């Protein structure tokens, strides 16, 4: 049986991807180019500064100094923070709270493993902060997904062996990070993008809880 579940935050527990997108799109508009949802897909799970680099490459903008890049990232973050300050528990994605209750009832430990430096703010707004046994966020890691550091640190804090952990992720980079950590993973979203996950479902409420419990023993199809 599994012993720990590590949830990504953005796009798994709450749809903050849409707020990241709005803020990045606004920055791109200010810089004079369009930034589409398709472009935004490349930013999921990617750290703030790496996201900025991708955005600048989309706009063909080169030769900015580190200080200028820092200013742009800070500007985007101010807009993003203004959005997330309005988040309420009603935005917790369907299926998450029942799954959390189920895992607690089965003595499975739960953590958040997120690249976001705003994770604590978001979890506080969602009134979820004290529901987790560990929180590893973007302030605590030096290597971004697909590096496995964030998930390994979370498992260490849960005191659960990596092979007994399951990661729940919506980003390709996060699936790769889970695999490199030696953990099973469930992808939330499109099989075309998350095909390397052990199981892919469209949304959290499609997860078969009992099959999740046994995921480290055998891989079965959870999708209906
Ligand atoms: C998550 C999101 C990314 C975001 C990153 C950093 O991984 O999926 O889109 O860029 O966190 O978030 P932050 O809140 O620190 O800018
Ligand atoms: Mg995510």
């Amino acid at each position: 049986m599994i012993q720990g579940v590590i949830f990504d935050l953005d796009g798994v527990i709450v749809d903050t991807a849409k707020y990241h997108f709005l803020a990045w799109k606004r920055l791109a508009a200010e810089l004079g180019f369009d930034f589409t949802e398709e472009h935004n897909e490349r930013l999921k799970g990617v750290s703030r500064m790496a996201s900025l680099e991708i955005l600048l490459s989309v706009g063909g903008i080169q030769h900015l100094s580190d200080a200028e890049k820092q200013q742009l990232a800070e500007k985007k973050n101010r807009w993003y923070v203004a959005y997330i300050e309005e988040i309420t528990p009603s935005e917790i994605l369907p299926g998450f709270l029942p799954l959390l209750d189920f895992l607690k009832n089965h003595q499975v430990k739960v953590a958040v493993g997120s690249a976001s430096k705003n994770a604590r703010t978001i979890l506080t707004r969602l009134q979820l902060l004290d529901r987790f046994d560990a929180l590893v966020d973007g302030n605590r890691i030096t290597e971004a997904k697909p590096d496995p550091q964030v998930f390994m640190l979370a498992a260490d804090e849960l005191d659960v062996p990596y092979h007994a952990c399951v990661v729940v992720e919506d980003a390709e980079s996060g699936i790769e990070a889970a695999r490199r950590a030696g953990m099973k993973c469930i992808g939330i979203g499109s099989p075309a993008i998350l095909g390397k996950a052990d199981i892919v479902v469209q949304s959290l409420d499609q997860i078969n809880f009992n099959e999740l419990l046994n995921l480290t023993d055998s891989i079965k199809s959870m999708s209906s």
Side-chain angles (χ1 to χ4, degrees):
M1 200 177 101
I2 64 169
Q3 295 174 42
V5 175
I6 306 172
F7 291 92
D8 172 51
L9 175 63
D10 294 306
V12 170
I13 297 175
V14 58
D15 183 17
T16 39
K18 65 184 177 205
Y19 301 125
H20 279 296
F21 175 55
L22 287 174
W24 285 126
K25 194 173 174 63
R26 187 169 165 186
L27 188 69
E30 215 177 80
L31 293 169
F33 63 94
D34 191 28
F35 191 74
T36 66
E37 287 203 51
E38 203 178 353
H39 293 134
N40 192 57
E41 196 61 38
R42 292 166 59 194
L43 307 191
K44 288 186 179 174
V46 177
S47 73
R48 193 180 308 164
M49 291 312 288
S51 296
L52 177 67
E53 294 290 352
I54 294 171
L55 180 126
L56 293 174
S57 74
V58 167
I61 295 180
Q62 296 166 339
H63 311 306
L64 292 183
S65 67
D66 286 351
E68 287 168 322
K69 288 179 186 172
Q70 198 63 44
Q71 279 177 5
L72 291 177
E74 280 168 17
K75 185 183 269 192
K76 178 266 172 180
N77 191 55
R78 280 197 296 278
W79 291 330
Y80 176 67
V81 167
Y83 291 127
I84 61 175
E85 276 172 357
E86 304 293 321
I87 286 178
T88 68
S90 67
E91 290 181 62
I92 297 172
L93 287 171
F96 177 72
L97 290 173
L99 176 56
L100 194 61
D101 289 340
F102 176 84
L103 294 171
K104 290 275 176 182
N105 289 339
H106 287 79
Q107 286 78 49
V108 176
K109 292 184 188 167
V110 288
V112 167
S114 168
S116 175
K117 295 184 174 177
N118 294 299
R120 188 169 283 273
T121 306
I122 295 167
L123 290 170
T124 303
R125 295 286 317 155
L126 298 176
Q127 296 172 17
L128 286 176
L129 195 58
D130 59 0
R131 304 284 311 270
F132 291 95
D133 302 299
L135 164 61
V136 179
D137 65 15
N139 299 296
R140 299 188 53 204
I141 53 171
T142 53
E143 307 300 325
K145 301 169 188 175
D147 188 281
Q149 185 189 36
V150 62
F151 296 139
M152 292 166 91
L153 195 52
D156 291 346
E157 291 208 352
L158 294 179
D159 200 20
V160 169
Y162 304 153
H163 66 82
C165 278
V166 174
V167 167
V168 186
E169 257 291 352
D170 71 318
E172 199 176 5
S173 60
I175 303 288
E176 178 66 22
R179 289 174 64 91
R180 288 196 204 168
M183 299 174 186
K184 300 292 183 210
C185 56
I186 297 180
I188 308 291
S190 153
I193 297 169
L194 307 176
K196 286 188 181 161
D198 295 293
I199 286 156
V200 181
V201 289
Q202 280 301 326
S203 66
L204 272 180
D205 56 6
Q206 289 176 9
I207 292 179
N208 178 320
F209 293 176
N210 286 309
E211 284 182 295
L212 168 62
L213 271 192
N214 297 309
L215 186 57
T216 51
D217 305 328
S218 64
I219 305 295
K220 298 171 191 165
S221 172
M222 283 190 193
S223 37
S224 50

